[in-house]
Amino acid sequence: MSDLDLLHFEQLKTEVQTEYLGDHTPSSEDISKWKGIDIIYFQEDLRKKGKGNISEKSFYTYFKTSPVSKLPRIDMLNILSVYAGYVSWYDFKKNHLFTNELLQESEDLETEEIEKLELEVANSPDIVEIAVKSENTPKQLEIKRSASVEDLVLQDIPTVNQSVNSNSINTFDDDSREKKSTVALVKKYLWLGISAILTILVGILGFQDELFSRKFYYSFIDADRNSKINAELQVQILQQNESPILYVAKPNEPFVYTTKSKMLTMVVSSPYYRTDTIQRNLENAPEAENIELKPNDYAIMLFYYSKSIKDLKKKRVSLNYLINDNALIYQVFNNKFYGVETMDKQRYINLVTLPSTSLENLDVIDTQTDKSGKIVMIKFKIDSDEDKQ
């Protein structure tokens, strides 16, 4: 990646902004100041004209900062270039060329330096000396080997004295060898025994939790419908003098908990079910159990109306009835620029009744109702496709 590519990308961002402003009126003409519903409308227009999608996370990374320090992926560059009216990213750069004279001069200098180095290596005297030394080396080795063989032949060896001394030495060696072999055998079996004991101890220490623990299976049931809950549940395990441990129970699957404790206290919560604290004595408890949770009907209705794309007029009327006029509504973002954004009741209804594919990733995090049953607080988020990978 070169600095010229970064400059080209800044040009592309400007043309993308100009293309969008031709048919739309966002909250600000500066693309770096767009957020919330402005980004959603831009994503829809990009899908129509550019035949591709840019996630909210990527938008904040590459359009909120100027100039950027790195380029997006080539597929995103191609989508943005098509949106701006070009065939591809290469076609965009070709129509916005900078001068290339400095790059051409540097290439000529490199070829000249390579030719000079080749001439210096060919005429170097050190290479000739090394070649001469390498030719003489095998001959010198042959001379040294022949000299050593001649020295061995000229030695005067008294064979008689050697045969006499060898008999006495052999008997002594046999006794010492037997003693050494016995000691070595004892040491070998001793080390094998110690190693086996250590291996057993390490195994017991490493798997003591599995050896002395029990597994419990808890299936969560909808109390009104008497069916398994098809949603993720947050399960907090409370232990004495310790911070809570958070687990996630997957939809339509039992929550499995392994423990050595005799008592269990867990808090089960979900945006669509009322929070419940469950306590169990595990000494005589069954391994598998079904636990009923009471549904939060208002949160389920809110989720249904947010997901449904049928009869938008009726949906707006229902949402207007369910939500209090002074409700606090928060949208949570998964990026480093904005954490939470607030909106009023009408803006939220407009957002969730927009026929957009982005609403497929809308998740209600939390809701609260007043005594009359009106929703007074909504917390939600819209996950991008990259966040779900």
Side-chain angles (χ1 to χ4, degrees):
M1 178 186 71
S2 64
D3 294 337
L4 292 179
D5 288 335
L6 295 177
L7 292 176
H8 283 309
F9 182 59
E10 293 298 326
Q11 292 176 330
L12 179 59
K13 287 163 59 176
T14 302
E15 295 200 13
V16 168
Q17 174 181 300
T18 304
E19 176 67 23
Y20 183 78
L21 292 176
D23 299 324
H24 300 81
T25 306
S27 59
S28 173
E29 292 186 356
D30 188 355
I31 194 172
S32 64
K33 296 180 180 179
W34 296 354
K35 60 181 180 178
I37 196 169
D38 294 330
I39 299 176
I40 293 177
Y41 281 125
F42 172 69
Q43 289 173 326
E44 289 296 318
D45 199 43
L46 184 63
R47 292 188 188 100
K48 294 177 182 178
K49 297 181 180 179
K51 306 303 180 183
N53 184 40
I54 179 174
S55 67
E56 184 181 6
K57 180 178 179 182
S58 298
F59 182 89
Y60 277 95
T61 301
Y62 298 109
F63 285 89
K64 286 290 185 179
T65 305
S66 182
V68 295
S69 58
K70 63 177 182 178
L71 284 177
R73 300 191 310 266
I74 186 62
D75 57 341
M76 186 183 298
L77 291 172
N78 288 331
I79 292 171
L80 294 173
S81 299
V82 172
Y83 180 80
Y86 299 89
V87 177
S88 64
W89 168 242
Y90 175 79
D91 182 45
F92 175 82
K93 291 197 297 182
K94 187 173 67 173
N95 286 275
H96 297 77
L97 286 177
F98 296 104
T99 180
N100 197 30
E101 295 178 359
L102 294 176
L103 179 62
Q104 188 64 33
E105 291 178 0
S106 63
E107 291 176 355
D108 294 338
L109 289 175
E110 290 179 358
T111 55
E112 292 177 2
E113 291 177 358
I114 292 172
E115 291 176 357
K116 288 180 181 180
L117 288 174
E118 290 178 349
L119 291 175
E120 291 177 0
V121 172
N123 298 327
S124 176
D126 295 337
I127 297 178
V128 178
E129 293 178 3
I130 293 171
V132 173
K133 290 180 180 179
S134 62
E135 290 177 357
N136 294 334
T137 300
K139 295 181 180 179
Q140 293 176 356
L141 290 174
E142 291 178 0
I143 295 171
K144 291 181 179 179
R145 289 174 182 174
S146 61
S148 61
V149 172
E150 290 176 359
D151 291 339
L152 290 173
V153 173
L154 294 175
Q155 286 181 354
D156 186 11
I157 302 174
T159 56
V160 177
N161 292 333
Q162 286 184 353
S163 62
V164 173
N165 293 331
S166 63
N167 291 331
S168 60
I169 293 172
N170 288 336
T171 55
F172 178 76
D173 289 343
D174 292 339
D175 294 337
S176 62
R177 286 174 183 172
E178 290 180 0
K179 292 180 180 179
K180 288 181 179 179
S181 62
T182 304
V183 173
L185 189 63
V186 172
K187 288 182 178 181
K188 179 180 178 180
Y189 285 109
L190 182 62
W191 279 112
L192 287 175
I194 294 174
S195 300
I197 294 173
L198 291 175
T199 303
I200 294 172
L201 291 176
V202 170
I204 293 175
L205 293 175
F207 296 96
Q208 62 175 342
D209 289 338
E210 296 184 4
L211 293 175
F212 302 104
S213 300
R214 293 178 59 192
K215 281 187 178 181
F216 296 90
Y217 300 83
Y218 296 102
S219 298
F220 298 101
I221 306 297
D222 189 307
D224 291 347
R225 300 165 181 82
N226 195 26
S227 61
K228 291 185 178 180
I229 296 177
N230 187 21
E232 286 190 352
L233 300 173
Q234 305 292 327
V235 180
Q236 280 189 332
I237 302 298
L238 306 182
Q239 297 180 350
Q240 190 174 5
N241 301 325
E242 292 185 11
S243 300
I245 303 175
L246 180 63
Y247 296 92
V248 176
K250 296 183 179 180
N252 297 321
E253 293 184 9
F255 170 65
V256 182
Y257 182 61
T258 304
T259 183
K260 296 184 294 183
S261 303
K262 296 181 180 179
M263 296 294 298
L264 172 63
T265 301
M266 59 182 175
V267 179
V268 184
S269 60
S270 169
Y272 310 111
Y273 290 87
R274 302 189 185 278
T275 302
D276 192 6
T277 301
I278 300 164
Q279 294 181 335
R280 290 291 184 271
N281 184 349
L282 301 180
E283 289 184 338
N284 299 318
E287 291 187 356
E289 184 180 354
N290 293 333
I291 298 176
E292 292 186 346
L293 296 180
K294 294 185 178 297
N296 185 343
D297 294 327
Y298 290 98
I300 292 176
M301 283 190 290
L302 184 64
F303 174 77
Y304 171 75
Y305 287 135
S306 300
K307 291 285 187 178
S308 175
I309 60 174
K310 297 180 180 179
D311 199 351
L312 297 180
K313 185 176 180 180
K314 181 179 179 181
K315 180 170 141 180
R316 293 175 66 89
V317 172
S318 300
L319 288 173
N320 188 55
Y321 174 77
L322 285 174
I323 303 174
N324 188 288
D325 292 337
N326 299 319
L328 298 175
I329 304 175
Y330 305 91
Q331 181 178 1
V332 180
F333 296 92
N334 293 329
N335 58 68
K336 61 182 179 181
F337 297 97
Y338 296 96
V340 176
E341 179 182 344
T342 59
M343 61 179 65
D344 57 20
K345 171 183 174 180
Q346 290 303 321
R347 187 180 174 190
Y348 173 78
I349 294 176
N350 292 336
L351 176 64
V352 298
T353 55
L354 171 72
S356 170
T357 56
S358 300
L359 297 180
E360 295 177 358
N361 299 328
L362 186 144
D363 287 324
V364 178
I365 300 175
D366 192 14
T367 59
Q368 292 181 7
T369 56
D370 58 12
K371 295 181 180 179
S372 63
K374 294 280 188 178
I375 298 176
V376 295
M377 192 278 288
I378 302 172
K379 187 181 292 184
F380 73 98
K381 67 177 180 177
I382 301 177
D383 291 328
S384 63
D385 294 334
E386 292 183 358
D387 296 333
K388 294 205 169 189
Q389 289 179 353

